[in-house]
Amino acid sequence: AQALEEVVSKTKALDELEIPYTWNVFMDKYEGTNKNGLIYRKRVMNTLPYIKDADYFAIFSDSESYSYVAVEALSVNTKLLSTPLPVFDKIGVKEGENATFIPFEYFEEENKDKLNEVLLKAYKEKEKEFEYVFDEKLCAGFHTIFLK
C-alpha cells in the first residue's frame, strides 16, 4: 500500500502539468484502471513487452545494488526516468542520452518548479532515440560477485 501511495504521489506533478501518461502498476490483486493514467495489472512473469512499449521506465529508488531493471529497460531501448544512482556509472546509464535524472529533493514541495522543469524536458524528449549496448566490461565486477 505504501509503494502504491508513492506512485500516486509521483503522478500528481504529471497531472498538474497536463502531461499525458499511462503508468503500469503490477499488483497481486487486479484493481482496474483509474482516470489518472494509472493502470493496475495482475503480476506477470515477463514485463519486458510493457517496458519496451514505454517512453520511459521510472525508477525512484534511493539505492540499488546492480539495478537489473535498469539494464532490462535499456536493453529494449526504453529510457530511464530515475533518481540518480551510483551504480548507473557502472552500467552505462547517461543523463541526457538514455536517462533523465530527478534528484530526490525535487519531489519536496519547495522544489516543485525544478521537478516540473525536468518532467517537461523529459516529455519533450520522449521521442529521442538511443541504442544501449550492453558492455560486459562495465559489469565485470558484479558478475564475479554473483558467480562465486
Side-chain angles (χ1 to χ4, degrees), residues 125-142:
E125 294 178 352
K126 71 183 179 81
E127 301 298 327
K128 183 179 174 183
E129 293 185 21
F130 75 96
E131 185 175 342
Y132 180 70
V133 178
F134 180 75
D135 183 350
E136 288 188 34
K137 290 180 272 181
L138 289 174
C139 307
F142 291 102

Side-chain angles (χ1 to χ4, degrees), residues 4 13 17 42 44 62-63 69 84 86 94-96 103-104 107 110 128 133 135 144 146:
L4 186 56
L17 293 169
K42 289 182 182 178
V44 296
D62 59 0
S63 66
V69 294
K94 297 178 181 143
E95 167 78 36
F104 261 113
F107 293 106
E110 63 269 14
K128 183 179 174 183
V133 178
D135 183 350
T144 302
F146 291 120

Side-chain angles (χ1 to χ4, degrees), residues 54-101:
D55 293 319
Y56 287 93
F57 184 84
I59 304 172
F60 299 123
S61 177
D62 59 0
S63 66
E64 294 275 335
S65 57
Y66 178 78
S67 196
Y68 281 104
V69 294
V71 173
E72 289 172 341
L74 295 173
S75 73
V76 293
N77 294 321
T78 298
K79 297 178 288 299
L80 303 179
L81 184 62
S82 178
T83 49
L85 297 168
V87 72
F88 285 165
D89 287 338
K90 304 246 189 271
I91 60 175
V93 176
K94 297 178 181 143
E95 167 78 36
E97 183 178 318
N98 54 25
T100 298
F101 294 147

